[in-house]
Structures are given as C-alpha cells and as structure tokens.
Amino acid sequence: MNALLERVQARRGELSPAAQRVVDFLLENPETTVFLSSAELGRLTRTSDATVIRTIKRLGYGGLDELREEVKQAIDDRLNPVRRLQRSLDWAGADPETVLAHTLELHATLLEDARRTLSPTQFSGAVQLLDRASSVLVFGIGPLGFVADYLALRLVRVGVPAYGATATGFRLADDLLNLTRHHVVVMFAYDSIRRETEVVLQQAARVGAPVILITDSLGRVLGPQVQVVLSAPVVRSSMLSSYTTSLLVADALALSVASRSRRRGERHFAELERLRALLGRQEHVGWSSPGPDAGAADGEERHDEEPPDPEDPRGRG
C-alpha cells in the first residue's frame, strides 16, 4: 500500500473532510476496497459515490478499477514469498550500505503505515479490555510466537497476569484448557488462518472471552469473531521479515495498561527489582558456601586429624 499512501501524503492538503474520510477508509481497509463498488464505498464513508470517484481521481488514478488493480497487486506482492524475495534482492543488491538503507526505509515505511491504519478508538478499547482482565492469553505461532511471549512478559511486568500460547497441534489444548470469560485473548495472526487460529477463536467464543486481533490482512475476515482489531503492517519473505509494528503495538499496549493502573505497575516493578537484586547476589539466599569450618558446631573445637581407620586396633574402643 506504499504507492497509495504516497499519493495520499502528496495531496493531503488538497482534500476536503469528505475526501479525507474516503482516503482513510482506503488506507485502513485495502482488502475490503477491492470488492466494493463506488456506491458501497460512499455509504461506508458517509459520503457519496460521486465523492468517492472524485477523490480517487484527485489521487491521480483513472478511476476505481485502476485503484483496485494497484491494491490487488500490492496485496499479491505482500503475500507471494518468491516475488517478495526477488524484489528485495533486486532492490538491495549486494552493497552493505544499500542493504542498510533499504532495511531502514522498510521499517520507517511500516511505522508510517501503522500510524495511518491503527485506529485510536480500537486501541483504547483493547487497553480497557486488558486493564480489566483477570488473565491474558497471548496467542501466536511460528515467528509470531516470540512476539506473543514478549507481550505476555511485558504485561506480567506491569501487573497483568498473562501467558503466551505458542504451541501447535495437540499441545495448544493445554494452553486453552483453563480459558474463562474473565480472560482476554490477544491474537497475532497474519496471511492465513491456521487450524490453531480457528480453535482459539472457537474456544474464546465458547467461554465468552473477548478477543483482540492484531493483524495486517485478516481484519475483514476475522472481524466478526473478535471485539477489537488492531492494524500492524508486516513484511514477510525468505530473505527479510519484519514484525517491528507488532512489537511496537505490544509495547504501546503494555505501557498504556501501566499508565491506567500506575500503582499496580509500580508495585510490580518494585517487586521485580527486589527479586532481581536477590538473584544478583553472589550467595544464594539462605545458603552459604561451605567454609573451612563447615560441619563444626558453634563453639565446638575443630579437629583437623583424619578419622580413625576402623581396621586399626588403636581406633577401636
């Protein structure tokens, strides 16, 4: 969606409030856009089909069909690993400075995309759910398992009981066994819907646990089954993958929860520091390494002689 975003940024000052609503919808719902008519877009943006067409042309497109084709191509490029790899290699080449520049630009673009597509209202809703939760199950598999564990750790540190559910197959059942309506599920899901994803959603619905979905492309498909959708654009390829925005959203969620319940967060951080101090001591708590007088009672004279040989007559009573 970089091309569309660049067009919007170049003409931001020329857009009316109605046109701004149109471009905001286009940026936040690219997968939906490719299936909607101008009339449907007008209804969803509280404008009209004429406003939608004028806005699209103001952005430099010949019409809605041209915009759709560009969006479809962008989605296909993002989901096709071979094409992504080829484009990364073609762009970066073999020069380390070029690779560095490419990587920095990529992450900057992802963060800018997140700024545009991440809904403040949805984010606030997610924070409220997490702040009230008795416990949080954070689901993610594959590379997203690391992100799930990271968010769980951050939540625990600010006083919210949380754990990562990152197993696949039958092992995931253990993580879901104690899920209740008092829990909140945070789900990281991108690209495709795995069987594990379906089971987590089914179990959450069964027990009444609300779900926060963090995704870049499954919001429209899974939206009806969750309470909150947070946009976090990512890049995945055989050569270069980046989950920077997912980590950013995780940090922002944990920090926001801590800000809402500062005393709770401060108590947990103080306890964390106390435990770290204990673990940092050279001697284990409640145990000292044996010294030269180990085994002798207090006030008892220590004898350095070797114990008597039981075969030696002198050692027999």
Side-chain angles (χ1 to χ4, degrees):
M1 296 301 295
N2 294 346
L4 175 58
L5 181 62
E6 290 173 1
R7 290 176 186 247
V8 171
Q9 290 175 333
R11 296 167 177 80
R12 178 75 65 182
E14 307 170 10
L15 301 176
S16 66
Q20 184 62 60
R21 291 200 298 274
V22 173
V23 298
D24 286 344
F25 184 89
L26 296 177
L27 289 171
E28 294 174 10
N29 305 275
E31 291 82 10
T32 304
T33 298
V34 299
F35 299 106
L36 298 178
S37 66
S38 59
E40 290 170 323
L41 286 169
R43 178 176 56 81
L44 291 171
T45 58
R46 293 176 289 110
T47 59
S48 65
D49 56 345
T51 299
V52 170
I53 295 301
R54 282 198 302 269
T55 302
I56 290 173
K57 290 186 175 181
R58 177 64 63 88
L59 295 176
Y61 295 102
L64 181 56
D65 287 342
E66 183 180 342
L67 170 64
R68 283 184 183 137
E69 287 304 313
E70 182 176 277
V71 172
K72 287 179 181 177
Q73 187 64 51
I75 294 173
D76 182 59
D77 286 349
R78 186 173 60 192
L79 301 183
N80 188 315
V82 175
R83 186 171 298 171
R84 290 198 307 269
L85 175 59
Q86 291 173 340
R87 293 187 63 177
S88 294
L89 291 174
D90 291 342
W91 199 98
D95 178 43
E97 294 183 8
T98 304
V99 173
L100 174 61
H102 170 56
T103 304
L104 293 174
E105 181 177 346
L106 173 67
H107 284 78
T109 301
L110 287 174
L111 294 176
E112 187 58 37
D113 283 351
R115 185 194 298 274
R116 295 289 310 143
T117 61
L118 188 57
S119 167
T121 302
Q122 293 283 297
F123 183 81
S124 296
V127 173
Q128 292 175 17
L129 287 174
L130 293 173
D131 188 45
R132 297 195 300 261
S134 65
S135 184
V136 179
L137 181 151
V138 190
F139 170 75
I141 52 180
L144 289 168
F146 296 102
V147 184
D149 284 335
Y150 176 77
L151 175 56
L153 175 64
R154 295 300 307 272
L155 289 173
V156 167
R157 288 181 175 178
V158 300
V160 179
Y163 61 99
T166 61
T168 57
F170 291 154
R171 289 183 57 198
L172 181 60
D174 295 295
D175 293 327
L176 300 177
L177 194 59
N178 295 318
L179 193 66
T180 72
R181 63 184 179 88
H182 302 293
H183 287 69
V184 170
V185 175
V186 179
M187 171 176 287
F188 289 92
Y190 296 92
D191 281 356
S192 60
I193 302 175
R194 300 272 298 268
R195 179 57 183 162
E196 288 83 357
T197 307
E198 295 177 338
V199 171
V200 171
L201 289 172
Q202 290 170 4
Q203 184 66 5
R206 181 174 181 272
V207 302
V211 179
I212 299 168
L213 173 65
I214 302 176
T215 186
D216 69 336
S217 57
L218 297 178
R220 179 173 176 269
V221 178
L222 299 180
Q225 302 178 63
V226 304
Q227 281 62 50
V228 175
V229 177
L230 300 181
S231 172
V234 299
V235 169
R236 297 167 299 280
S237 75
S238 301
M239 180 63 75
L240 174 64
S241 297
S242 174
Y243 296 92
T244 298
T245 51
S246 301
L247 292 169
L248 180 146
V249 170
D251 277 333
L253 287 172
L255 182 59
S256 297
V257 171
S259 298
R260 285 176 62 92
S261 303
R262 293 193 62 173
R263 289 186 179 180
R264 178 182 64 186
E266 289 169 356
R267 286 198 306 270
H268 276 75
F269 269 107
E271 181 66 5
L272 178 65
E273 290 303 311
R274 186 188 72 82
L275 292 170
R276 284 176 171 175
L278 291 176
L279 292 169
R281 291 173 53 184
Q282 292 184 354
E283 295 181 352
H284 293 289
V285 179
W287 177 84
S288 299
S289 59
D293 294 337
D298 290 342
E300 181 179 280
E301 182 180 0
R302 177 179 179 275
H303 298 280
D304 292 329
E305 299 87 29
E306 295 181 0
D309 186 348
E311 300 298 327
D312 188 345
R314 294 174 300 174
R316 297 174 180 173

